[in-house]
Amino acid sequence: MNSTTRIRLLDFSRSVAVLAMVFYHFVYDLGDFGYVNMITVINGSWKLFAQSIGCSFLFISGLSFWVMASRGISWPKYTKRLVFLIASAVLVSGVTYIQFRSAFIFFGILHLLAACSIFALIIYRLPVIVLFSLAIGLYVAPDFYFSSDYYSDKINDTIFVQKYISWTGLYNGRTGSVDFYAFMPWSAAFVFGLGFGKLLVKHNYSTRISPLSFKEEKTNKPFAALLWIGRNSLLVYLIHQPLLYAFFLGYKKLF
């Protein structure tokens, strides 16, 4: 969608999530450079804050997918976005492997978003009630699986204790990754967003008139900047952490 047909509420919501993510990564880098206690940053309420940001991205992405699909999927645009998303995920994996080695990001938020974008093609035509039921199923599946007799019987089977199946959510050990979002349960947020979008947005809708009475972007620069962040959230995601890291490196050398 271009700027004349985009629902501004989605852009605004996405920009808020991006800014929250930048703030958390700023605090994370404070811990990484020793200015605050890193144990505090990656546990408790801070960990919950980080996970809520991830869930908001997934929910908004699910809703956005339906906004796109309800108008008819543009396959060239979908493919271009998916390829860029996968390439970005691979880039993140490569860079973090160089930086963190065994703690690299092998299935983070971008990997999950790419997987959900493909999964959505299979499920987006399902009725809303089925989508919500599926989301609940994805959310509870790991806990149900690990408490089942089947898992107890298979616990000694090597395939069920290897990290390479951890991306599914059917792995009960520690991955060691600095950012990890398994398909189950986290894809539930995406599916919830997809179902919620179907409740709000009808087929073949028009977005020429914004659902919110926002001022025109040209006369409201701060709001225009927020919308730009929302429209370019993937770009901001890719560049903000290297910029933050460079800032802290420079600050540490100067002071």
Side-chain angles (χ1 to χ4, degrees):
M1 288 181 293
N2 58 42
S3 61
T4 61
T5 59
R6 180 182 297 269
I7 294 181
R8 287 172 175 164
L9 178 59
L10 287 176
D11 292 329
F12 181 78
S13 300
R14 197 179 291 109
S15 68
V16 171
V18 169
L19 292 176
M21 173 193 64
V22 172
F23 174 71
Y24 175 76
H25 283 165
F26 175 80
V27 176
Y28 183 94
D29 288 345
L30 284 174
D32 198 26
F33 280 86
Y35 295 111
V36 297
N37 189 338
M38 190 61 164
I39 301 301
T40 301
V41 176
I42 60 175
N43 290 284
S45 58
W46 280 105
K47 181 179 180 180
L48 183 62
F49 177 57
Q51 291 176 338
S52 68
I53 296 170
C55 284
S56 68
F57 272 116
L58 291 162
F59 182 87
I60 294 169
S61 294
L63 203 162
S64 298
F65 184 92
W66 176 250
V67 168
M68 172 200 62
S70 65
R71 303 178 70 232
I73 296 177
S74 172
W75 292 108
K77 290 183 178 180
Y78 169 83
T79 303
K80 180 180 178 180
R81 181 184 180 278
L82 180 61
V83 169
F84 186 52
L85 191 57
I86 293 173
S88 300
V90 172
L91 176 65
V92 168
S93 292
V95 171
T96 55
Y97 180 78
I98 294 172
Q99 183 178 5
F100 300 115
R101 293 298 177 181
S102 61
F104 80 106
I105 300 173
F106 62 90
F107 204 80
I109 191 68
L110 294 186
H111 304 72
L112 178 56
L113 283 172
C116 286
S117 296
I118 298 172
F119 184 53
L121 292 177
I122 304 172
I123 65 171
Y124 79 97
R125 295 184 184 275
L126 296 175
V128 172
I129 186 64
V130 177
L131 287 174
F132 285 156
S133 298
L134 176 60
I136 294 172
L138 289 168
Y139 183 76
V140 303
D143 288 338
F144 179 80
Y145 175 76
F146 292 130
S147 63
S148 68
D149 292 335
Y150 180 79
Y151 175 73
S152 299
D153 293 338
K154 290 290 184 179
I155 191 64
N156 293 321
D157 193 334
T158 56
I159 193 173
F160 287 89
V161 295
Q162 297 297 324
K163 281 188 180 181
Y164 61 75
I165 61 101
S166 61
W167 68 270
T168 64
L170 301 181
Y171 174 73
N172 207 21
R174 295 181 62 85
T175 66
S177 178
V178 294
D179 183 47
F180 178 65
Y181 284 87
F183 187 79
M184 294 182 290
W186 299 110
S187 61
F190 182 96
V191 180
F192 267 123
L194 181 59
F196 190 69
K198 294 192 77 167
L199 283 178
L200 294 182
V201 182
K202 296 180 179 180
H203 288 281
N204 300 318
Y205 77 102
S206 172
T207 57
R208 291 188 180 278
I209 300 177
S210 173
L212 296 182
S213 300
F214 289 133
K215 294 181 180 180
E216 288 299 319
E217 296 173 38
K218 292 182 179 180
T219 60
N220 192 333
K221 299 299 183 181
F223 183 67
L226 278 176
L227 294 186
W228 184 91
I229 292 173
R231 291 171 186 150
N232 298 276
S233 56
L234 182 53
L235 176 63
V236 176
Y237 180 90
L238 290 174
I239 67 174
H240 84 280
Q241 186 65 314
L243 291 177
L244 284 175
Y245 211 79
F247 168 79
F248 279 106
L249 280 175
Y251 182 85
K252 191 172 185 178
K253 289 182 177 180
L254 289 174
F255 301 98

